[in-house]
Amino acid sequence: MKIFLFVILSIFLSNGIAVFSAEQPLVIAAKTPRINVQLENSLHSISLDEKIKVWVFFTDKGIFDNRTFKSTIDNIQQKASAKTLTRRLNRTKKAELFDFYDIPVNQDYINQLKSIGVEIVRQSRWLNAVSVRANKHSVQSIADLPFVAEIKQVATGRREPDKVELLNNLELPDVFKTNTVLPDSVIEWYGNSFNQLNLTKIPTLHQFGYTGEGVRIALLDAGFELGFPVFSNLNLIDQYDFVDNDPIAKDENSATENRHGTLVLSTIAGFVPDNLIGPAYDAEFLLARTEYVGSETEVEEDNWVAAAEWAADLEADIISTSLGYFDWYDYSDIDGNTAIITIAADLAVSRGIAVFSSAGNERAGFHYITPPADGDSVIAVGSVDSTGIIAGSSSAGPTYDGRIKPDIVSMGVSVFAVSNTGGYAYVSGTSFAAPLAAGAGALLLQMYPDWTPIDLRQALIESADRYDNPDNLYGYGLPNVFKASQLFYIDPVDPIIVVAGDSLNFTFSVTGLIDSVLILSAANLPEGAVFVDNGDRTATIRYLAPTNTIESRIIQITAEFGVGTYTLDVSFSVVPQAKIAVGPNPFSDSLAIFIGPDDGRLAEISIFTVNGEKVWNNFTDNYNEITATVIWDCENNDGTKVASGPYFVVVHTERLTRKFKVLKR
C-alpha cells in the first residue's frame, strides 16, 4: 500500500513537510494482487453473504491526455467562486490553483461498481477512491475490473475514554489564577477557563481584538448538543452527520453520543462571560459528526475523509480532530504516508487547510501518536497540565520514520468545558488540547490571513518554549501565540561574548506597540552588571568582566507592556583573554595574524580600509594550521597590491571577535 499511495499522491518532502505535486500521473498501474493482504485475511473470516466495508482505489479518473486534463481543470476553476480563488491563492501559494485532486471520481466507474450490486458509501476525489459495502463475491468481481488499482478494508478506530468530572453549576470552583500581568477584572471574565488559555497567552491576543473573527474552523468529532447558553454566540455556518447521513450533526436517539463533540466545541468556541470563554469564540464553525461512540468501531476513516473534503468545499481554514486509530495500525504504519486518514489530512493541508490533531492518549498502551497526527504537515498536539508538565497519557513520538512528534502541546488536563447535559465539567485528554491549539491558530490566521498552513505551523513551533531543544514527549513545547503574532518583540541579538578584563556596553531595542508604555527589565545578570531602562524603548547592559571570571549563562530580557510581557533569552559568556595577535605593526610587505590556542576555531578574517571597504578575506589559502597563523601578503581579493595607509583587521573565531588597527607603510 505504501508504494501505491506514493504513486497516487506524488508526495515530496520539503524541509520535512509533505508537498503534493500538481503533476501526478493521469494513470497508475494496478497493484498485484489487487486485493490487499489484510483485506484477504478478513474475507476468509466472514460468511459468503456477510458484507464488509472496503476502499476501492482507481487507476485513473477517465482522463488520459494532457489536453483533456487541462480543459477539465479550467472548467473547475471557471466554476469556482471568487472567494475560493482568492483563498486558494493566499493559502497554497501555488501557481496552479487546482489540480488532479480536485477532479471528481469517474462516474462511469462508480456506475459499473453499482452494477455489481455493491453499496457506494463514500466518494473521495482526493484519494481517487470510493468506499463500498460488499460481500466476498462482489469484492472479487471488483478486483477483476480493469480500472481498479487496489482494494483494501476501511480502517476503524476508537479513542481511549477521556476523563470527565461533572460539576454542580451552583458550586463552581474559584478562578485559578496563574502568573499574569492582566488585571483581575480581565482574568475573572474568563472564569475557570482562564488558565487553559493563558498557558499559551491567548488572553493577551484577545486584548488586542483578535478572537478568531472571519476564520472558519471545522470540528470533526462525535455529535454536538447546541441548545445551551455556552453556544448562544456560536457562528454556525453548516453541519452534517456523516454517521447517519443527515443535516444535523448529532445523534437524535442518544444524548451520550453527543457528549464528546459538545465538550470539544465548548472548549474552542464557548462564550459565557465570567464562566467559560473559548479561544476562538468569534470564529465561524463547521460541525461534522464522524464518530459513533456506541459501536464497537467508533470511527470509520471513510467518514473522516468525506468530512474533510466537505469542509474543504465549505472553505474551512482549520480542521480540528481528536481521532485515534491505535487499534488498527501498527507502529510501522505511523510514518506519515500509510494511514488513509493521514494521507487525507496532508492533502487537506495541501488545499490550504491547517489540520490540528490530538496526539492520542495511548502512552501507557500503544505508546505512540495515532493517525492522522503522524502526518508530515499535520499539527499534532500533546497534553500538559496547568503547570506545563506533560500528561502521563499523552502519546509520544517519534514517528516510525524518525520525525519529532507531537509538534506542540497545549493544556489537556482538567480543561474547563460544558458537557452534553449543559453542565460544566473538568475534562482531560489530548482531545481537548487539540481544539485549544486550533483556537490559538485561528487568532493568528485572523491576523495573517495569507499564511499557509505551513506558515502557521512554523510560527507556532518557533514561538514554543522548547523550540531549541525539542523531544518526543513535548515536541517543540507550549506555543506562545502573542510571541508568534509578532505584534511586539525585543529585537533578537547574537550571543553576547565578553573577554575577561574587557568592558561591555550593549543596548537592546524593541519593535511594535509604538503607543504602549514599556518597562524593560533583566534577570540572571552576572554580579556587577548594570541594566538601565533608557525610557526610549531601549535598555542597556553595562559590565566590566573580572579578569579571573570565565562563565556562561542565559540572561532574560523582559518587556512589560500593560496586558502582557515578552521575554527574550540571550546567551551571555565571559571567555578567557584573547591570545590573537597581529604584527608587525607597522608593516611593509606582509602581516601575520596569530590565533591563540584558547581562541577557538578560526571562522573568518576580514581586512577593511578606514572607509569600511573590504579589501581581503581569503584567509583559507594561506592558513598554517600547525602554527595557527595567517599571512596577508598585502594584496586585495583581486590579487592587486593595496596602497599604504591604515587598515582594520577583524578576526572572527567560534568564541570571539577581535578588531585591530594596523598601518601599512
Side-chain angles (χ1 to χ4, degrees):
M1 187 59 188
K2 295 179 185 178
I3 296 174
F4 167 67
L5 284 173
F6 265 102
V7 175
I8 284 185
L9 300 177
S10 302
I11 299 176
F12 300 92
L13 292 182
S14 173
N15 297 322
I17 303 299
V19 179
F20 293 84
S21 169
E23 300 180 357
Q24 52 281 339
L26 297 178
V27 182
I28 63 169
K31 292 272 287 185
T32 304
R34 294 185 182 182
I35 299 177
N36 173 270
V37 173
Q38 188 177 14
L39 172 58
E40 190 72 60
N41 293 335
S42 295
L43 292 174
H44 288 314
S45 65
I46 65 174
S47 64
L48 288 175
D49 295 330
E50 187 176 350
K51 292 186 177 181
I52 189 171
K53 188 188 279 190
V54 299
W55 281 113
V56 180
F57 296 93
F58 300 129
T59 57
D60 58 82
K61 291 187 173 180
I63 298 172
F64 304 101
D65 61 85
N66 286 329
R67 175 179 293 180
T68 305
F69 173 75
K70 186 178 184 304
S71 65
T72 303
I73 294 297
D74 288 345
N75 186 50
I76 292 173
Q77 184 159 333
Q78 288 171 7
K79 293 180 179 179
S81 67
K83 181 180 179 181
T84 296
L85 295 174
T86 300
R87 185 185 171 283
R88 283 275 180 120
L89 181 64
N90 290 341
R91 289 289 168 81
T92 66
K93 301 294 191 293
K94 295 190 296 188
E96 300 295 333
L97 299 185
F98 297 88
D99 56 29
F100 182 84
Y101 308 110
D102 295 301
I103 300 174
V105 177
N106 184 279
Q107 187 60 46
D108 181 56
Y109 297 166
I110 294 174
N111 293 338
Q112 291 190 54
L113 291 180
K114 289 180 178 178
S115 70
I116 293 174
V118 301
E119 175 193 354
I120 306 296
V121 182
R122 301 290 177 209
Q123 302 179 30
S124 172
R125 63 182 182 273
W126 290 354
L127 302 176
N128 192 21
V130 295
S131 65
V132 305
R133 287 191 177 92
N135 59 29
K136 286 183 178 182
H137 177 73
S138 296
V139 170
Q140 187 57 60
S141 298
I142 294 170
D144 292 335
L145 295 172
F147 51 81
V148 172
E150 186 182 24
I151 312 170
K152 66 180 299 185
Q153 193 169 352
V154 171
T156 60
R158 59 187 175 88
R159 71 161 62 85
E160 286 291 338
D162 300 294
K163 180 181 178 182
V164 179
E165 177 189 351
L166 296 176
L167 302 173
N168 185 332
N169 289 357
L170 300 178
E171 299 177 0
L172 292 178
D174 291 334
V175 176
F176 175 44
K177 301 176 183 179
T178 51
N179 293 332
T180 179
V181 297
L182 292 170
D184 285 348
S185 60
V186 172
I187 296 171
E188 290 166 1
W189 184 75
Y190 288 92
N192 285 282
S193 61
F194 175 75
N195 199 47
Q196 63 207 46
L197 303 187
N198 192 52
L199 211 58
T200 50
K201 306 308 175 189
I202 288 169
T204 303
L205 277 192
H206 283 175
Q207 296 303 298
F208 288 95
Y210 296 102
T211 56
E213 185 176 1
V215 179
R216 188 163 293 182
I217 303 171
L219 297 184
L220 278 55
D221 212 287
F224 306 89
E225 291 282 359
L226 303 181
F228 304 123
V230 71
F231 300 127
S232 59
N233 187 63
L234 185 69
N235 187 357
L236 179 62
I237 301 301
D238 205 349
Q239 58 178 314
Y240 193 80
D241 185 338
F242 288 86
V243 176
D244 293 332
N245 293 310
D246 67 54
I248 306 299
K250 64 180 288 186
D251 189 309
E252 304 286 353
N253 301 314
S254 172
T256 303
E257 285 290 325
N258 305 316
R259 184 173 75 169
H260 192 274
T262 305
L263 289 165
V264 167
L265 179 60
S266 67
T267 299
I268 188 173
F271 188 78
V272 181
D274 303 329
N275 281 306
L276 188 155
I277 301 294
Y281 59 83
D282 274 338
E284 301 170 353
F285 284 90
L286 304 170
L287 305 180
R289 182 185 176 220
T290 58
E291 306 173 34
Y292 181 32
V293 179
S295 68
E296 292 183 3
T297 55
E298 296 179 4
V299 186
E300 294 177 306
E301 66 184 353
D302 59 334
N303 286 341
W304 195 97
V305 174
E309 293 189 24
W310 168 82
D313 290 340
L314 292 174
E315 307 293 347
D317 300 303
I318 290 172
I319 288 175
S320 180
T321 184
S322 303
L323 299 184
Y325 286 84
F326 69 94
D327 58 347
W328 183 271
Y329 291 107
D330 296 326
Y331 180 50
S332 61
D333 299 320
I334 311 301
D335 61 0
N337 298 313
T338 298
I340 295 298
I341 192 174
T342 301
I343 297 293
D346 275 339
L347 272 166
V349 175
S350 76
R351 312 292 93 182
I353 304 172
V355 178
F356 290 78
S357 174
S358 60
N361 305 321
E362 330 302 341
R363 187 141 53 94
F366 180 70
H367 183 76
Y368 297 103
I369 59 163
T370 54
D374 62 320
D376 301 287
S377 45
V378 172
I379 302 171
V381 187
S383 167
V384 295
D385 65 17
S386 60
T387 66
I389 302 300
I390 195 73
S393 60
S394 186
S395 293
T399 58
Y400 187 72
D401 56 320
R403 287 174 290 112
I404 288 174
K405 287 286 181 172
D407 296 281
I408 56 176
V409 293
S410 188
M411 187 163 155
V413 178
S414 296
V415 171
F416 196 62
V418 168
S419 181
N420 59 296
T421 62
Y424 291 102
Y426 280 120
V427 293
S428 298
T430 57
S431 292
F432 310 106
L436 286 173
L443 307 189
L444 294 174
L445 286 184
Q446 180 186 357
M447 297 180 66
Y448 300 105
D450 60 344
W451 272 7
T452 68
I454 304 306
D455 293 334
L456 176 60
R457 175 183 179 273
Q458 193 65 25
L460 287 170
I461 66 174
E462 287 186 6
S463 75
D465 60 357
R466 295 172 183 258
Y467 177 64
D468 293 326
N469 189 31
D471 61 30
N472 285 301
L473 284 179
Y474 294 85
Y476 293 91
L478 273 167
N480 180 329
V481 290
F482 182 76
K483 181 178 180 182
S485 75
Q486 295 290 286
L487 277 174
F488 172 83
Y489 55 90
I490 301 172
D491 297 325
V493 298
D494 292 329
I496 297 174
I497 300 174
V498 188
V499 176
D502 280 1
S503 61
L504 171 73
N505 192 317
F506 193 94
T507 298
F508 297 90
S509 59
V510 299
T511 296
L513 301 183
I514 300 299
D515 297 327
S516 296
V517 177
L518 306 178
I519 299 174
L520 293 165
S521 60
N524 200 34
L525 292 175
E527 184 178 356
V530 176
F531 183 88
V532 178
D533 183 343
N534 299 319
D536 60 355
R537 302 171 62 83
T538 68
T540 302
I541 290 178
R542 297 186 179 91
Y543 179 58
L544 176 61
T547 57
N548 60 347
T549 297
I550 306 298
E551 68 161 322
S552 293
R553 64 175 67 210
I554 300 296
I555 63 174
Q556 288 84 35
I557 310 300
T558 299
E560 184 177 328
F561 49 91
V563 296
T565 60
Y566 186 100
T567 298
L568 177 69
D569 291 336
V570 180
S571 173
F572 184 98
S573 302
V574 179
V575 299
Q577 289 190 353
K579 302 299 191 298
I580 297 174
V582 299
N585 189 19
F587 64 100
S588 298
D589 300 318
S590 63
L591 179 71
I593 300 121
F594 171 74
I595 311 299
D598 296 327
D599 296 329
R601 182 177 56 84
L602 180 61
E604 182 181 12
I605 297 177
S606 301
I607 298 179
F608 301 85
T609 67
V610 291
N611 295 323
E613 177 188 0
K614 181 184 288 187
V615 296
W616 184 82
N617 65 345
N618 191 19
F619 74 88
T620 55
D621 290 345
N622 53 1
Y623 177 47
N624 187 319
E625 292 188 8
I626 297 176
T627 62
T629 303
V630 174
I631 303 297
W632 181 44
D633 58 8
C634 302
E635 292 182 352
N636 63 20
N637 286 329
D638 296 327
T640 304
K641 289 289 184 180
V642 299
S644 299
Y647 292 86
F648 289 107
V649 179
V650 181
V651 182
H652 294 280
T653 74
E654 62 183 353
R655 295 181 180 172
L656 49 84
T657 297
R658 296 285 287 178
K659 182 178 180 182
F660 303 88
K661 186 175 183 180
V662 295
L663 179 65
K664 182 184 182 301
R665 290 175 173 167

